[in-house]
Amino acid sequence: MTPQSTGLANPSVKELTTTTSKSGCGCTGNSASSEMEESILERIAKHPCYSEEAHHHYARMHVAVAPACNIQCNYCNRKYDCANESRPGVVSELLTPEEAAHKVLVVASKIPQMTVLGIAGPGDPLANPEKTFRTFELIADKAPDIKLCLSTNGLMLPEYIDRIKQLNIDHVTITLNTVDPEIGAQIYSWVHYKRKRYKGVEAARILLEKQLEGLQALKEADILCKVNSVMIPGINDQHLVEVNKMIRQNGAFLHNIMPLISAPEHGTHFGLTGQRGPTSTELKTVQDNCSGNMKMMRHCRQCRADAVGLLGEDRSQEFTKDKFMEEAPEYDLTNRQQVQEGIEKFRAELKAAKEQIALDNNTLNAGAVKEKTKILVAVATKGGGLVNQHFGHAKEFQVYEVDGSEVKYVGHRKVDHFCQGGYGEKATMENIIQAISDCKAVLVSKIGESPKEKLDNAGIKVVESYDVIEKVALEFHQEFTQES
Ligand code: CLF
Ligand code: SF4
């Protein structure tokens, strides 16, 4: 664990926000969360997927105990494995429930801000019920402060709802890509249900029926349900608004629309047939079209089935089987609680600082016609809600939409990090510029002269700062609107 990632060694937020000019300051707002019931806020407060704010501070881990699957999605090939690859279904080594429990305890002691254990594959957890539930049982027994999370295609969900409830699994994700079996027939090759294999529209209809039944059952059991939908241009992209409506009516808590990943080298049906994924703009448009209806998740990183760490980082290679089996698990609940208390203290400071920024912004804009020009800015961050990363170290940029009074997280862009030196540097820089070309600025803690000049020439301003993301973004917005 790095002190930065706990927030404990970060400069005090108060210090940061009072040492810089107040001009242009404003607020970030998540009106959805202010309306959310207190009890629900508590349940998601330390879940990095269910709470966008939490994902800056808390980590999750997955254990790969579920190899088999009962359906075949056209975007999945579990045979392909690459340690540098990050996408669902990909895993380096399978674990038994006992090995998985051992790994969780080792990680829990090394990353005390790891608060959630998810089982998400590499196949479908409910197509491997004994391994999945045995793992959850072991964790619930040995590490009771860790929240349990399950991700499934939903086919067997109605069957296992009682077991899920019994084990106190409070977060369940269903991947539901369509509510129209005709569209489903283009997404699924087959469905294996009750010892029989189905194809085409019939297969998609069975899957949908079970998914909706499962969604209802989760609602009745008061389990928070997130729906993941893979956006496939030309197949379900226009249809996702309808999916959004349907899942909302059936009690889903959160909707996560993810882009199709379909590189030919992954060997998936879509990869081999040339089906493309959506562009960042296409994805954002669909997410925006749904966002009036319910809470949307936009910070998903499409994790591997053995991912470890904050959502934006992948530490799975630090915890390979040969390494973690060598270590005696030292689960220290007191230490975990202390670290998490430190994070909560930092979050409270951050919240207060943001409220102050909002107040200052309101005072500044009192009587003035509110400027609503919306712009995007890219942020290099190691977490903690701060602009705190060197441009050259960023493996991804978080993208925020700023309108002068609100700063909204809208996504992230993965890039090859620039500080690799030598060969390929030019191509990397071009790749970064391409990835954030729709952003008016990039907010970083530091940057070298050469990349700064290149970004400037590409029309992307560089802002160097070490402060709360919302504050830097609003200051830039003000500068930008005054200049244009
Ligand atoms: Fe894992 Fe999924 Fe639980 Fe999160 S992931 S089982 S809800 S703990 Fe999160 Fe990863 Fe996106 Fe999933 S970023 S792929 S949404
Ligand atoms: Fe792959 Fe998951 Fe689809 Fe099964 S449900 S085929 S594991 S993506």
Side-chain angles (χ1 to χ4, degrees), residues 248-301:
R248 181 170 41 102
Q249 283 162 1
N250 282 276
F253 168 75
L254 186 63
H255 194 188
N256 172 23
I257 298 178
M258 316 183 291
L260 170 73
I261 302 173
S262 60
E265 60 270 28
H266 296 160
T268 63
H269 173 78
F270 281 149
L272 296 173
T273 53
Q275 171 64 53
R276 73 171 180 93
T279 63
S280 312
T281 313
E282 286 170 336
L283 178 68
K284 184 175 177 301
T285 304
V286 170
Q287 289 171 331
D288 287 350
N289 288 343
C290 295
S291 66
N293 297 329
M294 69 184 289
K295 227 172 122 47
M296 301 297 293
M297 175 181 187
R298 296 175 191 249
H299 59 285
C300 175
R301 301 303 201 279

Side-chain angles (χ1 to χ4, degrees), residues 69 71-73 75-76 78 122-124 153:
C69 194
I71 70 173
Q72 180 60 58
C73 306
Y75 48 75
C76 177
R78 297 187 303 285
D124 187 78
N153 59 38

Side-chain angles (χ1 to χ4, degrees), residues 167-445:
L167 275 164
N168 206 16
I169 298 167
D170 199 30
H171 301 78
V172 172
T173 295
I174 306 175
T175 300
L176 193 156
N177 301 315
T178 173
V179 290
D180 178 346
E182 301 278 345
I183 295 177
Q186 299 173 63
I187 301 176
Y188 307 106
S189 300
W190 49 259
V191 166
H192 192 267
Y193 184 65
K194 304 232 160 150
R195 296 173 194 276
K196 198 171 162 200
R197 185 171 289 216
Y198 299 86
K199 289 191 154 197
V201 176
E202 196 185 8
R205 187 170 288 120
I206 293 170
L207 179 62
L208 176 62
E209 196 183 296
K210 295 295 150 195
Q211 290 172 326
L212 294 179
E213 225 178 278
L215 190 51
Q216 282 283 347
L218 289 170
K219 187 183 170 194
E220 277 157 29
D222 190 29
I223 293 167
L224 293 177
C225 178
K226 168 165 71 63
V227 168
N228 284 356
S229 303
V230 179
M231 177 175 168
I232 312 161
I235 294 186
N236 71 347
D237 49 342
Q238 302 301 318
H239 171 67
L240 285 171
V241 175
E242 209 178 311
V243 172
N244 179 271
K245 225 183 272 173
M246 175 75 102
I247 62 164
R248 181 170 41 102
Q249 283 162 1
N250 282 276
F253 168 75
L254 186 63
H255 194 188
N256 172 23
I257 298 178
M258 316 183 291
L260 170 73
I261 302 173
S262 60
E265 60 270 28
H266 296 160
T268 63
H269 173 78
F270 281 149
L272 296 173
T273 53
Q275 171 64 53
R276 73 171 180 93
T279 63
S280 312
T281 313
E282 286 170 336
L283 178 68
K284 184 175 177 301
T285 304
V286 170
Q287 289 171 331
D288 287 350
N289 288 343
C290 295
S291 66
N293 297 329
M294 69 184 289
K295 227 172 122 47
M296 301 297 293
M297 175 181 187
R298 296 175 191 249
H299 59 285
C300 175
R301 301 303 201 279
Q302 294 176 281
C303 318
R304 296 165 55 94
D306 58 2
V308 177
L310 292 174
L311 295 194
E313 66 181 4
D314 181 12
R315 297 177 62 177
S316 57
Q317 289 310 300
E318 289 173 44
F319 300 98
T320 49
K321 204 193 297 192
D322 56 331
K323 292 179 189 152
F324 76 74
M325 285 312 274
E326 288 291 298
E327 302 205 28
E330 286 166 22
Y331 176 71
D332 184 344
L333 183 59
T334 312
N335 181 50
R336 286 176 57 76
Q337 283 168 339
Q338 278 169 356
V339 170
Q340 290 178 28
E341 274 163 24
I343 295 173
E344 289 307 303
K345 194 167 158 263
F346 179 73
R347 284 175 90 182
E349 279 182 29
L350 193 61
K351 188 165 174 258
K354 286 182 188 176
E355 280 163 7
Q356 187 57 48
I357 290 169
L359 261 172
D360 292 347
N361 194 50
N362 286 343
T363 313
L364 198 73
N365 290 324
V369 180
K370 271 244 164 92
E371 178 55 67
K372 286 289 178 192
T373 308
K374 283 187 183 173
I375 58 168
L376 298 180
V377 297
V379 178
T381 175
K382 289 187 278 188
L386 303 173
V387 178
N388 59 3
Q389 192 172 38
H390 192 296
F391 175 81
H393 298 161
K395 287 187 182 164
E396 66 167 37
F397 290 94
Q398 296 193 354
V399 176
Y400 287 78
E401 187 176 78
V402 197
D403 72 358
S405 59
E406 203 177 344
V407 180
K408 202 168 74 183
Y409 181 99
V410 291
H412 71 283
R413 310 277 163 80
K414 283 193 175 142
V415 294
D416 295 331
H417 60 116
F418 182 67
C419 276
Q420 295 177 113
Y423 182 77
E425 204 168 85
K426 185 166 176 272
T428 304
M429 195 59 213
E430 278 165 16
N431 168 282
I432 295 175
I433 289 175
Q434 177 64 33
I436 59 170
S437 59
D438 52 349
C439 298
K440 298 292 180 209
V442 59
L443 320 181
V444 298
S445 65

